[in-house]
Amino acid sequence: MFIDPHIHMSARTTDDYQAMAEAGVVAVIEPAFWLGQPRTSVDSYRDYLASLVGWERFRASQFGIKHYCAIGLNSKEANNEALAEAVMAVLPLFLAKEGVVAVGEIGFDEQTALEEKYLRLQLELAKQFELPVMVHTPHRDKIKGTLLTMDICEEHGLDPSQVIIDHNNETTVKQVLERGYWTAFTLYPQTKMGSERMVNIAKEYGAERIFIDSSADWGVSDPMSVPKTANLMLNSGISKEEVHKICYQNALEAYCQSGQIEESDWQDASFDQAELFEGNSVLRGQKPLKSSEA
Amino acid sequence: MNELHSQLEGILRQTSAWNKLRVEITALEENFSRQQFFYLFAICPRWLKSDANSVNISAMLDSAMFDPFGVMTHWRATQVARLYLLIKLYDYSNAVEYHHVIDELFKTADVNEQILLVQSLQFIPQAELFVERAREAARSNIESVFSAVAHNTPYAKTYFNNDGWDQLILKAAFLAVPIWNIVGLKERNNFRLVTMLKDYVLERQAASRSVPWDLFCCPGWLAQGEEDLQFIAGQFQRGTLKIQQAICLALQENAHEPAVYLAQQLKTQLLNPLDSWQAIAELED
């Protein structure tokens, strides 16, 4: 069993859901992010958030995958102050909903003053709604941005155990782990972290508070990277227990602090596409798949 | 409405979250804030999680008076609390605010909230304000959301215009959910709808796909001329046992003599003609 704790399924096809389910992915967490181009109004942002707690959750259920989400204002769009203010006003409508396991993904992109302002405001929301925080660390000037994010989290009184620092690499892992944060790695086929590099990190740092995700989205990315990397780890001599922690257990422990995700969600659930959904948009006439056949 | 409100409150008083709920509701009554209302509406499942199975709603609710279609008997404490909040909202906000807040709830609803909001339309004040929201539910491909407006509620029968009604029934056929028990099906049956359903039958059959058995009640009830009766008789010959039973019963319930006569003829081909829709629904396919 695997969890992909950071994946943008709204941008993926039903083929991906099917392949992930076949590979053993039982749950996904979809953080709110930008869409590849900026949104120009709070209405489109609200509809996007509504789709994360509504349609996408339902779409995933037809393939036997439990869908959870993180709700937040991302760092790129935090730089549009008018939009950001309006989005901040609607976030409380979503943060208490079923299946919302974190505030996220939030953090820095260019590390501007506006990004910092809305990061701080959202950390306060996380405290108010008693939710963990999923942090997006910047792709440029990463070390400085990662350290700054952790400093700010601590300034706002968040315990490191409540915060997941994502998109780590060899340059950030040591300090993030040492400061007690959940340390997540995004595995991209060409950029950021690759599976082989992840194997080396796991060998060096072990499995404590470390987990991986695909962050697959509308760009070149691989929704199968969690199961693929798990196999590579096993073939590289990393123990089954450690792989289980990195690819399943640690993410579950981090996000179950929200009270919105637990193992019984997928262990007890069966699914039946024919019963749940006749499938005019998703199934389009193919034979419904029952959980016993999956 | 006050009576229903009291009954809901009686149920909620049995929950472990009641004290917390009561404090929040009192605060809202004294100083209403949209944000706080939205928070309270959203947080209900978390607060009432431990009461999910412990509250016996059926035993505490006068169903005959307040829930004639039995919707609430399938609810848990979370849904009761949310309906209670919606009714409360009407008391402590003005008409514009009431409309705006519920509209916003629809816009930001997760699936369970969508179902609850649509099911609640038969219980809340000024339900006619939300016809377009109910129409959206009737367009949903999420079966449980669609069913919230199609089944166990008189809302669509009462408030949908003809376009909305016809599309609701056609969509039920499209989703292959039960048609026969949609409230108001016979009263609001009409010739345009029958034409749409007949076209749908032909389209499905052209693609060698199955046709819902209970779709045939609508054309059966209104069959009048020779062409209608020929269509129905043709469908009887190619139909499944359930379709044959549905056609016979619909024709029998038709007010026109030639239709009733056809029903008598077709019934002779059935070993055990059934005389209720429920009985046909319970037949194996």
Side-chain angles (χ1 to χ4, degrees), chain A residues 57 68 98-99 255-265, chain B residues 12 15-18 20-21 42-55 76-79 81:
Chain A
R57 198 167 185 215
Y68 305 87
E98 290 174 69
Y255 289 107
C256 81
Q257 296 178 86
S258 66
Q260 292 298 298
I261 176 172
E262 50 190 296
E263 210 165 30
S264 60
D265 293 351
Chain B
L12 293 173
T15 65
S16 56
W18 172 246
K20 207 157 44 167
L21 271 173
I43 206 79
C44 282
R46 296 189 192 197
W47 284 5
L48 292 151
K49 197 174 181 182
S50 61
D51 299 296
N53 298 313
S54 60
V55 180
R76 292 181 172 176
T78 293
Q79 286 102 320

Side-chain angles (χ1 to χ4, degrees), chain A residues 8 10 30-35 39 43-53:
Chain A
H8 301 281
S10 302
E30 176 158 9
F33 199 51
W34 74 311
L35 297 175
R39 275 164 284 229
D43 291 329
S44 53
Y45 211 111
R46 185 207 284 109
D47 290 345
Y48 168 67
L49 297 179
S51 76
L52 295 186
V53 297

Side-chain angles (χ1 to χ4, degrees), chain B residues 15-67:
Chain B
T15 65
S16 56
W18 172 246
N19 283 339
K20 207 157 44 167
L21 271 173
R22 190 175 49 79
V23 168
E24 291 291 333
I25 289 166
T26 306
L28 274 174
E29 277 170 342
E30 287 165 3
N31 186 19
F32 179 74
S33 122
R34 280 183 193 176
Q35 291 293 11
Q36 195 55 22
F37 183 86
F38 292 141
Y39 171 77
L40 196 52
F41 189 85
I43 206 79
C44 282
R46 296 189 192 197
W47 284 5
L48 292 151
K49 197 174 181 182
S50 61
D51 299 296
N53 298 313
S54 60
V55 180
N56 189 341
I57 294 166
S58 309
M60 301 184 67
L61 184 77
D62 182 349
S63 297
M65 182 174 289
F66 299 112
D67 187 25

Side-chain angles (χ1 to χ4, degrees), chain A residues 46 89 97 277-278 280-281, chain B residues 35 104 108 113 141 174-175:
Chain A
R46 185 207 284 109
K97 289 197 191 294
F277 187 81
E278 197 274 337
N280 301 296
S281 293
Chain B
Q35 291 293 11
E104 193 70 11
T108 58
E113 289 172 346
N141 279 351
F174 190 62
L175 290 176

